[in-house]
Amino acid sequence: MPDRVLSMNLATLRGDCNFATAVDRCLEQDVTAISPWRDQVEAIGLREAARIVQTNKLRVTGLCRGGMFPAGDAEGRNKAHEDNLRAIDEAAVLGAECLVLVVGGLPKNSRDIADARKQVVEGIAAGLPRARAAQVPLAIEPLHPMYAADRACINTLDQALDVCAMLGEGVGVAIDVYHVWWDPNLAAAIARAGKMGCILAHHICDWLVPTNDLLLDRGMMGDGVIDLKGIRAMIEAAGYFGPQECEIFSRDNWWKRPGAEVVKTVVQRFNSVC
């Protein structure tokens, strides 16, 4: 049955919060599940971040992010590999339920997206033994096609599931509504993900009309056009009843507001809209 858990992706609180204050703002609203970003953990120190998690009995639904696999030469690919091994180790220390992968786009001066996707599969495969040993599932997050060149050449849920099918145990998907809501095959893809047992995370926010910045103008749930309840119903029908993780990049709106106001609004919208 659904557990109706709200998780706070700490990117949502980048405005005036570091890792520790973000946790405080969450606890004030009885939010006890979080998903931090690696730079936020690095700023406070991995050991201190883990202490805060353990002291407050927090659930870490994911760590953002690994990935960025494609590169124009072996040195770049090796550098990405080493960074992903570190990310896996960090996720293990924090007790994260998955490491979210934003897989990367085209290498500099490349026009070969097929090769970039091949490098993604090879990069994930290279880190998979470490991830399996650490019991850290790798969650491929397909990103909207507008990011295919620079951030993620895996752009549909079906593409991500194809990679999961190739690589097997230890690899799944993070379904972020901001990136997949438009897909005409979404319902079938979510059902497929459920049959494969591949759903590791469900991220929520909203798509604003108009959107003033394609990266940094995500909307609060209920302020845009995404059918949040409809997508959640698909996800639950596919057998996933895990947390809904609020992840809002909002440079000119929510990041300018006090963290306490942001968390309070997220909780209200989660209860009324999601």
Side-chain angles (χ1 to χ4, degrees), residues 183-201:
D183 186 350
N185 197 51
L186 183 60
I190 290 175
R192 177 189 174 196
K195 290 177 182 177
M196 293 173 64
C198 281
I199 303 176
L200 298 176

Side-chain angles (χ1 to χ4, degrees), residues 99-238:
L99 173 66
V100 177
L101 301 181
V102 175
V103 298
L106 295 172
K108 186 177 180 180
N109 299 323
S110 173
R111 291 179 173 82
D112 192 344
I113 196 167
D115 182 67
R117 288 171 175 152
K118 178 174 178 287
Q119 289 190 43
V120 166
V121 175
E122 292 171 347
I124 297 173
L128 194 50
R130 176 77 68 91
R132 286 171 174 161
Q135 297 185 323
V136 174
L138 303 179
I140 302 169
E141 182 177 354
L143 265 57
H144 192 284
M146 64 190 173
Y147 296 125
D150 61 343
R151 290 183 179 273
C153 57
I154 301 296
N155 307 113
T156 68
L157 185 54
D158 274 315
Q159 285 178 312
L161 292 171
D162 289 344
V163 178
C164 294
M166 281 187 274
L167 297 180
E169 182 183 357
V171 185
V173 295
I175 302 175
D176 187 324
V177 297
Y178 189 75
H179 297 297
V180 303
W181 71 273
W182 57 274
D183 186 350
N185 197 51
L186 183 60
I190 290 175
R192 177 189 174 196
K195 290 177 182 177
M196 293 173 64
C198 281
I199 303 176
L200 298 176
H202 174 205
H203 297 179
I204 55 174
C205 61
D206 219 330
W207 184 284
L208 300 177
V209 179
T211 294
N212 295 317
D213 186 289
L214 294 177
L215 177 62
L216 300 175
D217 191 32
R218 295 191 187 194
M220 181 65 65
M221 294 82 71
D223 288 348
V225 298
I226 299 177
D227 182 6
L228 294 163
K229 288 184 178 178
I231 293 175
R232 181 62 182 186
M234 296 177 197
I235 289 173
E236 291 187 354

Side-chain angles (χ1 to χ4, degrees), residues 4-117:
R4 304 302 185 193
V5 169
L6 168 65
S7 175
M8 186 67 67
N9 187 295
L10 298 191
T12 307
L13 301 176
R14 283 197 180 275
D16 71 348
C17 294
N18 60 24
F19 184 97
T21 55
V23 167
D24 288 341
R25 299 294 83 79
C26 289
L27 292 174
E28 289 167 0
Q29 296 295 325
D30 297 322
V31 176
T32 58
I34 64 169
S35 181
W37 280 65
R38 292 176 66 201
D39 65 302
Q40 295 170 315
V41 172
E42 182 181 14
I44 197 171
L46 179 59
R47 181 177 296 181
E48 176 63 7
R51 186 197 67 78
I52 291 172
V53 166
Q54 293 161 9
T55 298
N56 292 285
K57 297 180 173 59
L58 299 176
R59 179 176 181 179
V60 181
T61 58
L63 177 65
C64 298
R65 57 181 165 74
M68 296 296 169
F69 298 103
D73 55 29
E75 181 181 358
R77 289 187 289 274
N78 288 337
K79 184 177 179 181
H81 175 65
E82 292 300 321
D83 185 63
N84 277 282
L85 295 184
R86 287 191 295 272
I88 291 166
D89 293 344
E90 292 163 12
V93 171
L94 292 169
E97 295 175 12
C98 66
L99 173 66
V100 177
L101 301 181
V102 175
V103 298
L106 295 172
K108 186 177 180 180
N109 299 323
S110 173
R111 291 179 173 82
D112 192 344
I113 196 167
D115 182 67
R117 288 171 175 152

